[in-house]
Amino acid sequence: MNKSDLRRQVAELFIVRASGFNLDSQRLYPNLEESNSNLKRLLEEGVGGVIVLGGTVKELEIRCNILKKWSGRPLLLCADIEEGVGQRFYGGTKFVPPMGIAQIYKKDQTLAISIAEKIGYFTGKEAKKIGLNWLLAPVCDINNNPNNPVINLRAWGEEPETVKSLTSAFQRGVSRSKMLTCAKHFPGHGNSEVDSHLDLPEIHHDLSKLEKFELIPFKSLINQGVNSVMIGHLLFPKIDPIFPATLSKRVVTDLLRIKFKYDGLVVSDALVMNAITNKYSSGKAAVMAFDAGIDLIMMPKDIDEAIDSLTDAFYSGKISLERLNISRERRKKQLDLVSNEADFKKEDLNNEDIKNKFLLDASKFSNSIIKSSIFVREESTIKAEYNDINLIQIDNFDQVANKFIPALDFPKAVGFKNLIIHPLGISPWGKTNKNFLELGQFSNSKILVQLFVRGKPFIGLDYHNDHWIDTIEKLEFEQRLSGIIIYGCPYLFDKIKKTIHKNIPLAYSPSQTEEAQNQILSRILQSKTTQKEIDKESSIEFTD
């Protein structure tokens, strides 16, 4: 085989990042997402997969067809959809984060398992309709470390049995929609305090401890026939003291392939993450990952360098051509499961009326889960007096990007004045004591505190929010605390719940969506007055 043909075969095993938007100027992360010209070139040269983010569901449907046309061959089209299609693509259904379902599981196991399976089904079916064929979910990590900044709400629980039961249910649901799935981040990212997007986490567990805890959900999904397993960028010194799991034969080959007898697709986490790039070049990382036993290489920092280096490794005999053929065959086997165009054309969702009913059912189901997952301790009505403040902390501007934001509009309608805190804004914290707000700037106003807090990739130290506990205690002591609402992090909520008096209105939702805000605020504010005022203001702002 000549080197050019070999390179094309090698390129099949790489996955590149692209925007779900159609125009280069719309890319949300141009440093990570290939331009259209480069993307077209790479697909024509044989690159076998694309991971997408951003855009509307309709745009993505068009986009996926374009990508398949550029490729001219079966293509893996995937996304990190862990909380419904709407998590990544505008207009899709958003579901409560997995940790919220785990909280339901504590109260009603049967209900939670049923919810998880339905989420899998709705998510898979909706994702398939917009052109994807591979969900990079479920997260099988057990979030047994509350200081974990990156897994956190993405996990299906804090105990092996909970995560095993719920991820297995999610997997069953997705399988009914004929989509590929992915168990991640093997052998377990839940007990880290470092985000692998920023640095390499170390987890000091030996294999015996992993088998009794972290590996239980992965074993379950492997036995259930999960289509792929993603390896996390994690260092386990007691298993391999030198190489991170992604580049470790002891983890990928000895543990996953041989001990667990897994013969499905194994994919790396994104090689562009700092856990890898801080030490390894794109070319070296790609060769080492493949040599460790991985089949598909996700998002190297320099895609051409990575393909060329792996091609050279095969051409020189450093890695056998047999290994290349085995990985290509594994990829083909999975693609064949989801590439039947005749079956796709028979899909109910190709009928517009059926599709609309499906999306409505998904939305209603999502709203019902929110209702089951929210907590309101006191049903007493919060009333605003002159100059009272609705103080909101956000960590993502998308949380206040829409025209109608219940967390802002509902309190405003009953008399609160809105104040938004963001890590990039002017700090309201004291210069001498970082744990306290400079309350002088709020005169004697009472304060309704709404906190949007969750662990997620790249959040780093901004995830730590314990300073709010001292601030809330001070507000309560000075009788200036109207109420508290936490959206997202259950750990901060639990700490605050133990701290403040039971007469202080307190509410929590694992979901941060407008619907979650609506359901909570309707219960603790004057809902009828609020809705009337909001409708009145909306009619004024309807046009310019």
Side-chain angles (χ1 to χ4, degrees):
M1 186 189 310
N2 64 48
K3 199 168 186 180
S4 175
D5 290 341
L6 177 61
R7 190 184 191 280
R8 175 171 284 278
Q9 290 189 6
V10 171
E12 277 186 17
L13 306 179
F14 284 82
I15 300 161
V16 294
R17 168 83 168 262
S19 172
F21 289 107
N22 285 307
L23 301 178
D24 285 344
S25 59
Q26 295 175 295
R27 288 179 292 172
L28 299 175
Y29 303 96
N31 59 321
L32 297 175
E33 295 161 356
E34 300 289 345
S35 66
N36 279 331
S37 59
N38 208 37
L39 186 58
K40 185 173 185 289
R41 173 185 68 83
L42 289 166
L43 292 174
E44 288 174 346
E45 290 177 0
V47 165
V50 181
I51 177 172
V52 284
L53 172 70
T56 67
V57 290
K58 189 61 183 176
E59 280 176 301
L60 189 67
E61 191 174 351
I62 296 167
R63 181 73 155 160
C64 288
N65 286 329
I66 291 171
L67 296 176
K68 287 188 279 190
K69 183 179 178 181
W70 286 348
S71 173
R73 63 193 67 207
L75 194 62
L76 284 166
L77 292 165
C78 61
D80 280 307
I81 296 174
E82 301 161 359
E83 300 167 23
V85 168
Q87 179 191 11
R88 304 299 181 192
F89 307 103
Y90 300 113
T93 307
K94 288 183 182 179
F95 288 110
V96 168
M99 186 65 79
I101 313 305
Q103 290 169 326
I104 296 173
Y105 184 89
K106 292 176 183 178
K107 297 177 286 185
D108 189 332
Q109 294 184 10
T110 303
L111 175 62
I113 289 170
S114 172
I115 287 172
E117 183 166 348
K118 286 180 182 176
I119 289 175
Y121 174 72
F122 277 119
T123 300
K125 195 103 169 171
E126 194 172 338
K128 184 175 183 180
K129 174 56 187 168
I130 60 176
L132 302 176
N133 54 22
W134 186 20
L135 294 183
L136 299 180
V139 171
C140 289
D141 307 309
I142 304 166
N143 200 76
N144 59 324
N145 186 340
N147 293 322
N148 192 320
V150 64
I151 301 302
N152 208 267
L153 283 176
R154 301 165 64 196
W156 290 87
E158 300 149 310
E159 299 293 336
E161 194 58 39
T162 305
V163 177
K164 171 187 168 183
S165 298
L166 296 179
T167 54
S168 293
F170 179 89
Q171 163 75 18
R172 288 194 299 273
V174 177
S175 297
R176 285 167 51 206
S177 66
K178 298 182 181 177
M179 287 280 288
L180 302 180
T181 51
C182 181
K184 62 186 187 184
H185 306 81
F186 189 88
H189 204 321
N191 198 27
S192 70
E193 292 193 17
V194 174
D195 179 0
S196 50
H197 294 82
L198 303 174
D199 208 344
L200 180 63
E202 287 191 25
I203 299 177
H204 295 274
H205 290 178
D206 59 21
L207 182 56
S208 174
K209 191 166 185 179
L210 287 177
E211 287 193 292
K212 293 173 184 174
F213 202 86
E214 277 86 354
L215 291 172
I216 289 172
F218 289 100
K219 282 183 179 178
S220 175
L221 258 71
I222 286 169
N223 291 337
Q224 202 172 322
V226 70
N227 305 96
S228 62
V229 173
M230 179 182 286
I231 309 297
H233 302 321
L234 308 156
L235 184 66
F236 289 86
K238 293 183 179 178
I239 297 175
D240 188 331
I242 301 173
F243 300 117
T246 323
L247 313 179
S248 171
K249 285 185 178 180
R250 294 184 186 181
V251 173
V252 183
T253 297
D254 296 348
L255 180 56
L256 181 57
R257 290 290 190 205
I258 297 174
K259 188 174 180 63
F260 281 12
K261 298 181 174 61
Y262 183 65
D263 195 40
L265 271 175
V266 177
V267 58
S268 75
D269 206 344
L271 293 190
V272 73
M273 292 159 65
N274 286 358
I276 299 298
T277 59
N278 283 347
K279 188 171 181 179
Y280 303 95
S281 68
S282 296
K284 185 163 186 169
V287 172
M288 291 178 69
F290 195 86
D291 195 38
I294 281 174
D295 300 302
L296 302 179
I297 309 296
M298 178 82 72
M299 285 178 63
K301 188 171 184 179
D302 185 326
I303 180 68
D304 288 299
E305 177 192 324
I307 294 172
D308 288 340
S309 295
L310 191 53
T311 302
D312 289 341
F314 289 120
Y315 199 71
S316 66
K318 181 179 179 180
I319 305 177
S320 71
L321 287 176
E322 182 185 9
R323 259 300 323 276
L324 172 63
N325 293 333
I326 289 171
S327 290
R328 290 182 66 222
E329 185 56 37
R330 286 188 184 122
R331 175 182 176 275
K332 181 181 182 300
K333 181 179 178 181
Q334 297 302 329
L335 265 171
D336 285 346
L337 297 176
V338 292
S339 294
N340 191 324
E341 290 294 328
D343 282 350
F344 182 74
K345 288 175 182 177
K346 292 177 187 175
E347 284 284 325
D348 290 341
L349 296 192
N350 287 313
N351 178 299
E352 202 63 29
D353 290 338
I354 295 175
K355 174 186 170 184
N356 289 337
K357 183 181 183 304
F358 171 85
L359 294 175
L360 181 62
D361 289 344
S363 178
K364 287 180 178 178
F365 176 57
S366 173
N367 293 348
S368 72
I369 304 171
I370 291 172
K371 187 175 181 180
S372 297
S373 65
I374 62 175
F375 166 89
V376 177
R377 186 169 69 181
E378 291 294 329
E379 298 287 348
S380 58
T381 300
I382 295 175
K383 295 180 180 179
E385 298 177 8
Y386 181 71
N387 274 342
D388 281 359
I389 302 294
N390 173 37
L391 186 65
I392 296 186
Q393 173 184 281
I394 61 172
D395 55 23
N396 184 340
F397 285 113
D398 284 348
Q399 290 157 346
V400 291
N402 294 338
K403 195 70 174 174
F404 172 61
I405 306 294
L408 292 172
D409 295 338
F410 276 35
K412 181 182 176 183
V414 297
F416 285 95
K417 293 184 177 179
N418 292 324
L419 179 63
I420 298 173
I421 299 174
H422 186 274
L424 299 179
I426 296 173
S427 174
W429 301 102
K431 294 178 182 177
T432 55
N433 189 337
K434 299 295 184 184
N435 285 355
F436 293 127
L437 289 171
E438 288 282 15
L439 293 177
Q441 61 188 303
F442 305 120
S443 63
N444 293 317
S445 306
K446 280 195 168 186
I447 297 176
L448 168 62
V449 178
Q450 296 191 75
L451 304 179
F452 288 78
V453 180
R454 65 171 290 171
K456 59 184 179 180
F458 296 105
I459 195 168
L461 294 177
D462 287 335
Y463 167 65
H464 300 291
N465 285 276
D466 282 356
H467 52 277
W468 276 106
I469 297 171
D470 294 326
T471 293
I472 285 166
E473 283 184 325
K474 186 178 182 186
L475 286 170
E476 182 184 13
F477 178 76
E478 297 185 3
Q479 297 185 343
R480 296 180 60 185
L481 186 61
S482 288
I484 306 161
I485 305 171
I486 312 291
Y487 302 98
C489 178
Y491 306 112
L492 180 61
F493 163 69
D494 287 339
K495 291 176 184 177
I496 290 173
K497 184 180 178 184
K498 294 172 184 175
T499 300
I500 64 168
H501 194 274
K502 64 181 181 181
N503 290 335
I504 300 290
L506 173 67
Y508 168 73
S509 168
S511 173
Q512 298 182 334
T513 62
E514 288 87 351
E515 178 60 27
Q517 299 164 37
N518 179 42
Q519 288 195 29
I520 282 181
L521 289 163
S522 295
R523 290 173 65 177
I524 66 173
L525 295 179
Q526 295 172 307
S527 58
K528 290 183 180 178
T529 304
T530 300
Q531 194 60 57
K532 181 179 177 182
E533 293 296 322
I534 289 170
D535 289 345
K536 180 179 177 182
E537 187 160 323
S538 296
S539 66
I540 295 170
E541 295 182 354
F542 182 71
T543 67
D544 292 333

